Amino acid sequence: IPRPAAPRRETAWPEIAAYTRRARESWQRWHDDPGPTPFGDVCGSGFEHVVLVALGEAAAFLGEDGGPGLELVIETDLPVGRGFGSSAATAAGTVAAYLGLRGAVVTRAELQRLAVEVERRQHGLPSGVDPATVLHGGVLWAERDAAGELVVSPIAGASLLLSRLAVFDTGQPPEPTGEVVGRVRELQRRDPATAAAAWNAIEAATRALRDLLVDPAAPPRAALPLLRRSERALEALGVVPEPVRRVVREIEAAGGAAKVSGAGSLAGPGAGCLLALHEDPARLAGIARPGIAPRGLAPAGAGRPGAELGVERLAVGLGGPGLAVEAGP
C-alpha cells in the first residue's frame, strides 16, 4: 500500500526557537496550575509539534538560537497515537540526528533527558520510559531511585512470553495523551483512594510480570491474571472506553487476557493498542479482522466487538534494538 504524501513544512530557526520557548512556557503554566488550562491547549498536533520542539531543545542544549540550513526527513511505520511511543521515537531520533550533525558528543543520559523534555510538551508528565526504551532497546525494567531519577536495566530471557503476546490496534484515541494524563491527575485529587488502589495494583502486577520474564521455567499462562489485574486498574482510572472494554471482555471470554498499552482514551471509541495473551494464540484469530475500516464501519455480518470497532491485529516484533546513529556519506 503506497504511503500518503508526507506533509512538508519550511521554517526558519528564529521561528523554531520562538515556538520552543512558547511550548516550554505553556507547559510550565500547565504544570504549576493545571486547573485553568486544558492540556489540549498546551500540546501541539502530531509530528510537526514534536519535531519543532526537538530541534529547538537540541539547539538550546548547544547554546544556539539556531543552526545551519538542513532538510529533515522522518519515515516511520509506527502507528501514531496508539501507545507505541511514536512521539518518543521522533523526539529521540530528531535530537540525536541534529546533535550528530553539529558534531556534538553527548551521552545516552543526556539524549534521554532531552527526549523527555520534548515529550513533556506532548504528553505533560511522561514517565521517561518511552525515550529510555527507544534509546536502549530490548525489554527494560525502569524504576526511580531515591533521588527520583529513572534507572533502567535490561531484562534478558523474555523471548518466550514476548512471542506469545499479540498486539491489536483499536484505533487512535480522540484526545492527546497529555489530556488523558491530566484527567487522571484530576481523579487523583478528587478521589485519591481509588487512584492509589489502581496504581498499587498496576505496580504489583508489573513487579510480578518482571519476575515471570526472568524465570525461564514460568509458563506464559502465569501472566494472564497479571494482565487482567492491570486492565481492571486502568478501567478504574477511566482510560478504557466502553467499546474497547468489550473487546477485552471478548478476549477474556476466549480464555486470554488483554490490557491497554499506552495512555488509553477518555471517550473512545479507539484507545490505541492492546497487548493480548493466550496460551493458544490461534484462539485470538477471530478477535480482529485484517485492516481497519473507517471509524464506525464494520464488515457486513460482523457482530463481534473487535470487528465492530474495526480492530486490527498488527504484525510487530517486541523487544527490538534501540537507537542507532549511522554516519553520513
Side-chain angles (χ1 to χ4, degrees), residues 216-235:
R221 66 174 178 275
L224 292 173
L226 304 179
L227 291 179
R228 292 170 187 154
R229 199 178 308 159
S230 291
E231 170 63 20
R232 294 303 188 278
L234 291 168
E235 292 176 9

PDB file of all heavy atoms in Angstrom, residues 216-235:
ATOM      1  N   PRO A 216      12.911 -18.613  33.273  1.00  0.00           N
ATOM      2  CA  PRO A 216      12.739 -19.372  32.038  1.00  0.00           C
ATOM      3  C   PRO A 216      11.743 -20.518  32.164  1.00  0.00           C
ATOM      4  O   PRO A 216      11.236 -21.018  31.160  1.00  0.00           O
ATOM      5  CB  PRO A 216      14.148 -19.898  31.740  1.00  0.00           C
ATOM      6  CG  PRO A 216      14.851 -19.881  33.063  1.00  0.00           C
ATOM      7  CD  PRO A 216      14.266 -18.725  33.822  1.00  0.00           C
ATOM      8  N   ALA A 217      11.445 -20.930  33.394  1.00  0.00           N
ATOM      9  CA  ALA A 217      10.507 -22.042  33.578  1.00  0.00           C
ATOM     10  C   ALA A 217       9.066 -21.583  33.734  1.00  0.00           C
ATOM     11  O   ALA A 217       8.152 -22.409  33.784  1.00  0.00           O
ATOM     12  CB  ALA A 217      10.911 -22.854  34.811  1.00  0.00           C
ATOM     13  N   ALA A 218       8.846 -20.273  33.800  1.00  0.00           N
ATOM     14  CA  ALA A 218       7.490 -19.771  34.026  1.00  0.00           C
ATOM     15  C   ALA A 218       6.651 -19.933  32.765  1.00  0.00           C
ATOM     16  O   ALA A 218       7.054 -19.477  31.687  1.00  0.00           O
ATOM     17  CB  ALA A 218       7.539 -18.305  34.431  1.00  0.00           C
ATOM     18  N   PRO A 219       5.473 -20.561  32.847  1.00  0.00           N
ATOM     19  CA  PRO A 219       4.621 -20.699  31.662  1.00  0.00           C
ATOM     20  C   PRO A 219       3.946 -19.372  31.335  1.00  0.00           C
ATOM     21  O   PRO A 219       3.614 -18.591  32.244  1.00  0.00           O
ATOM     22  CB  PRO A 219       3.588 -21.744  32.104  1.00  0.00           C
ATOM     23  CG  PRO A 219       3.504 -21.580  33.588  1.00  0.00           C
ATOM     24  CD  PRO A 219       4.886 -21.191  34.043  1.00  0.00           C
ATOM     25  N   PRO A 220       3.736 -19.066  30.056  1.00  0.00           N
ATOM     26  CA  PRO A 220       3.078 -17.805  29.690  1.00  0.00           C
ATOM     27  C   PRO A 220       1.723 -17.617  30.358  1.00  0.00           C
ATOM     28  O   PRO A 220       1.327 -16.481  30.645  1.00  0.00           O
ATOM     29  CB  PRO A 220       2.946 -17.912  28.167  1.00  0.00           C
ATOM     30  CG  PRO A 220       4.076 -18.797  27.760  1.00  0.00           C
ATOM     31  CD  PRO A 220       4.208 -19.797  28.864  1.00  0.00           C
ATOM     32  N   ARG A 221       0.991 -18.719  30.652  1.00  0.00           N
ATOM     33  CA  ARG A 221      -0.344 -18.579  31.256  1.00  0.00           C
ATOM     34  C   ARG A 221      -0.275 -17.890  32.621  1.00  0.00           C
ATOM     35  O   ARG A 221      -1.269 -17.338  33.094  1.00  0.00           O
ATOM     36  CB  ARG A 221      -1.019 -19.938  31.391  1.00  0.00           C
ATOM     37  CG  ARG A 221      -0.361 -20.891  32.356  1.00  0.00           C
ATOM     38  CD  ARG A 221      -1.185 -22.172  32.527  1.00  0.00           C
ATOM     39  NE  ARG A 221      -0.536 -23.118  33.410  1.00  0.00           N
ATOM     40  CZ  ARG A 221       0.383 -23.995  33.021  1.00  0.00           C
ATOM     41  NH1 ARG A 221       0.743 -24.049  31.743  1.00  0.00           N
ATOM     42  NH2 ARG A 221       0.940 -24.822  33.902  1.00  0.00           N
ATOM     43  N   ALA A 222       0.898 -17.937  33.266  1.00  0.00           N
ATOM     44  CA  ALA A 222       1.017 -17.297  34.576  1.00  0.00           C
ATOM     45  C   ALA A 222       0.861 -15.791  34.490  1.00  0.00           C
ATOM     46  O   ALA A 222       0.577 -15.133  35.495  1.00  0.00           O
ATOM     47  CB  ALA A 222       2.376 -17.651  35.198  1.00  0.00           C
ATOM     48  N   ALA A 223       1.053 -15.227  33.290  1.00  0.00           N
ATOM     49  CA  ALA A 223       0.909 -13.783  33.115  1.00  0.00           C
ATOM     50  C   ALA A 223      -0.538 -13.357  32.918  1.00  0.00           C
ATOM     51  O   ALA A 223      -0.841 -12.164  32.994  1.00  0.00           O
ATOM     52  CB  ALA A 223       1.752 -13.312  31.930  1.00  0.00           C
ATOM     53  N   LEU A 224      -1.451 -14.299  32.659  1.00  0.00           N
ATOM     54  CA  LEU A 224      -2.845 -13.934  32.362  1.00  0.00           C
ATOM     55  C   LEU A 224      -3.494 -13.127  33.483  1.00  0.00           C
ATOM     56  O   LEU A 224      -4.067 -12.062  33.232  1.00  0.00           O
ATOM     57  CB  LEU A 224      -3.659 -15.192  32.050  1.00  0.00           C
ATOM     58  CG  LEU A 224      -3.298 -15.922  30.757  1.00  0.00           C
ATOM     59  CD1 LEU A 224      -4.070 -17.241  30.654  1.00  0.00           C
ATOM     60  CD2 LEU A 224      -3.602 -15.051  29.542  1.00  0.00           C
ATOM     61  N   PRO A 225      -3.444 -13.587  34.745  1.00  0.00           N
ATOM     62  CA  PRO A 225      -4.085 -12.790  35.796  1.00  0.00           C
ATOM     63  C   PRO A 225      -3.431 -11.431  36.006  1.00  0.00           C
ATOM     64  O   PRO A 225      -4.086 -10.482  36.433  1.00  0.00           O
ATOM     65  CB  PRO A 225      -3.960 -13.674  37.048  1.00  0.00           C
ATOM     66  CG  PRO A 225      -2.859 -14.626  36.744  1.00  0.00           C
ATOM     67  CD  PRO A 225      -2.914 -14.861  35.270  1.00  0.00           C
ATOM     68  N   LEU A 226      -2.148 -11.324  35.682  1.00  0.00           N
ATOM     69  CA  LEU A 226      -1.462 -10.045  35.846  1.00  0.00           C
ATOM     70  C   LEU A 226      -1.953  -9.030  34.831  1.00  0.00           C
ATOM     71  O   LEU A 226      -2.180  -7.851  35.159  1.00  0.00           O
ATOM     72  CB  LEU A 226       0.045 -10.242  35.724  1.00  0.00           C
ATOM     73  CG  LEU A 226       0.669 -11.272  36.676  1.00  0.00           C
ATOM     74  CD1 LEU A 226       2.165 -11.396  36.427  1.00  0.00           C
ATOM     75  CD2 LEU A 226       0.381 -10.897  38.121  1.00  0.00           C
ATOM     76  N   LEU A 227      -2.129  -9.465  33.580  1.00  0.00           N
ATOM     77  CA  LEU A 227      -2.671  -8.566  32.567  1.00  0.00           C
ATOM     78  C   LEU A 227      -4.098  -8.153  32.921  1.00  0.00           C
ATOM     79  O   LEU A 227      -4.481  -6.990  32.760  1.00  0.00           O
ATOM     80  CB  LEU A 227      -2.639  -9.232  31.189  1.00  0.00           C
ATOM     81  CG  LEU A 227      -1.264  -9.471  30.565  1.00  0.00           C
ATOM     82  CD1 LEU A 227      -1.415 -10.169  29.219  1.00  0.00           C
ATOM     83  CD2 LEU A 227      -0.515  -8.164  30.382  1.00  0.00           C
ATOM     84  N   ARG A 228      -4.889  -9.110  33.408  1.00  0.00           N
ATOM     85  CA  ARG A 228      -6.279  -8.791  33.776  1.00  0.00           C
ATOM     86  C   ARG A 228      -6.321  -7.790  34.920  1.00  0.00           C
ATOM     87  O   ARG A 228      -7.139  -6.864  34.920  1.00  0.00           O
ATOM     88  CB  ARG A 228      -7.017 -10.073  34.143  1.00  0.00           C
ATOM     89  CG  ARG A 228      -7.241 -11.013  32.970  1.00  0.00           C
ATOM     90  CD  ARG A 228      -7.748 -12.363  33.434  1.00  0.00           C
ATOM     91  NE  ARG A 228      -7.814 -13.320  32.321  1.00  0.00           N
ATOM     92  CZ  ARG A 228      -7.741 -14.638  32.457  1.00  0.00           C
ATOM     93  NH1 ARG A 228      -7.622 -15.172  33.681  1.00  0.00           N
ATOM     94  NH2 ARG A 228      -7.805 -15.426  31.408  1.00  0.00           N
ATOM     95  N   ARG A 229      -5.440  -7.977  35.897  1.00  0.00           N
ATOM     96  CA  ARG A 229      -5.406  -7.066  37.040  1.00  0.00           C
ATOM     97  C   ARG A 229      -5.021  -5.655  36.606  1.00  0.00           C
ATOM     98  O   ARG A 229      -5.616  -4.662  37.056  1.00  0.00           O
ATOM     99  CB  ARG A 229      -4.398  -7.600  38.067  1.00  0.00           C
ATOM    100  CG  ARG A 229      -4.577  -7.049  39.473  1.00  0.00           C
ATOM    101  CD  ARG A 229      -3.556  -7.683  40.405  1.00  0.00           C
ATOM    102  NE  ARG A 229      -3.580  -9.136  40.306  1.00  0.00           N
ATOM    103  CZ  ARG A 229      -2.573  -9.922  40.678  1.00  0.00           C
ATOM    104  NH1 ARG A 229      -1.453  -9.387  41.140  1.00  0.00           N
ATOM    105  NH2 ARG A 229      -2.663 -11.228  40.579  1.00  0.00           N
ATOM    106  N   SER A 230      -4.043  -5.534  35.720  1.00  0.00           N
ATOM    107  CA  SER A 230      -3.641  -4.220  35.225  1.00  0.00           C
ATOM    108  C   SER A 230      -4.762  -3.559  34.440  1.00  0.00           C
ATOM    109  O   SER A 230      -5.014  -2.354  34.568  1.00  0.00           O
ATOM    110  CB  SER A 230      -2.390  -4.346  34.343  1.00  0.00           C
ATOM    111  OG  SER A 230      -1.268  -4.707  35.103  1.00  0.00           O
ATOM    112  N   GLU A 231      -5.446  -4.354  33.625  1.00  0.00           N
ATOM    113  CA  GLU A 231      -6.532  -3.805  32.823  1.00  0.00           C
ATOM    114  C   GLU A 231      -7.653  -3.270  33.709  1.00  0.00           C
ATOM    115  O   GLU A 231      -8.190  -2.179  33.469  1.00  0.00           O
ATOM    116  CB  GLU A 231      -7.070  -4.872  31.869  1.00  0.00           C
ATOM    117  CG  GLU A 231      -8.349  -4.502  31.142  1.00  0.00           C
ATOM    118  CD  GLU A 231      -8.212  -3.308  30.222  1.00  0.00           C
ATOM    119  OE1 GLU A 231      -7.084  -2.966  29.843  1.00  0.00           O
ATOM    120  OE2 GLU A 231      -9.258  -2.718  29.869  1.00  0.00           O
ATOM    121  N   ARG A 232      -8.019  -4.009  34.758  1.00  0.00           N
ATOM    122  CA  ARG A 232      -9.078  -3.542  35.660  1.00  0.00           C
ATOM    123  C   ARG A 232      -8.669  -2.244  36.336  1.00  0.00           C
ATOM    124  O   ARG A 232      -9.496  -1.347  36.553  1.00  0.00           O
ATOM    125  CB  ARG A 232      -9.399  -4.601  36.720  1.00  0.00           C
ATOM    126  CG  ARG A 232     -10.021  -5.878  36.206  1.00  0.00           C
ATOM    127  CD  ARG A 232     -11.316  -5.634  35.433  1.00  0.00           C
ATOM    128  NE  ARG A 232     -11.986  -6.881  35.108  1.00  0.00           N
ATOM    129  CZ  ARG A 232     -11.687  -7.670  34.090  1.00  0.00           C
ATOM    130  NH1 ARG A 232     -10.678  -7.347  33.284  1.00  0.00           N
ATOM    131  NH2 ARG A 232     -12.380  -8.774  33.858  1.00  0.00           N
ATOM    132  N   ALA A 233      -7.392  -2.118  36.683  1.00  0.00           N
ATOM    133  CA  ALA A 233      -6.912  -0.885  37.307  1.00  0.00           C
ATOM    134  C   ALA A 233      -6.992   0.284  36.326  1.00  0.00           C
ATOM    135  O   ALA A 233      -7.391   1.401  36.698  1.00  0.00           O
ATOM    136  CB  ALA A 233      -5.479  -1.069  37.804  1.00  0.00           C
ATOM    137  N   LEU A 234      -6.640   0.052  35.068  1.00  0.00           N
ATOM    138  CA  LEU A 234      -6.738   1.103  34.058  1.00  0.00           C
ATOM    139  C   LEU A 234      -8.194   1.509  33.834  1.00  0.00           C
ATOM    140  O   LEU A 234      -8.500   2.688  33.632  1.00  0.00           O
ATOM    141  CB  LEU A 234      -6.111   0.621  32.750  1.00  0.00           C
ATOM    142  CG  LEU A 234      -4.586   0.447  32.778  1.00  0.00           C
ATOM    143  CD1 LEU A 234      -4.118  -0.317  31.547  1.00  0.00           C
ATOM    144  CD2 LEU A 234      -3.890   1.790  32.866  1.00  0.00           C
ATOM    145  N   GLU A 235      -9.087   0.545  33.879  1.00  0.00           N
ATOM    146  CA  GLU A 235     -10.507   0.867  33.752  1.00  0.00           C
ATOM    147  C   GLU A 235     -10.973   1.709  34.933  1.00  0.00           C
ATOM    148  O   GLU A 235     -11.772   2.637  34.768  1.00  0.00           O
ATOM    149  CB  GLU A 235     -11.319  -0.424  33.631  1.00  0.00           C
ATOM    150  CG  GLU A 235     -11.067  -1.172  32.326  1.00  0.00           C
ATOM    151  CD  GLU A 235     -11.788  -2.506  32.241  1.00  0.00           C
ATOM    152  OE1 GLU A 235     -12.633  -2.781  33.138  1.00  0.00           O
ATOM    153  OE2 GLU A 235     -11.522  -3.271  31.295  1.00  0.00           O
TER     154      GLU A 235
END
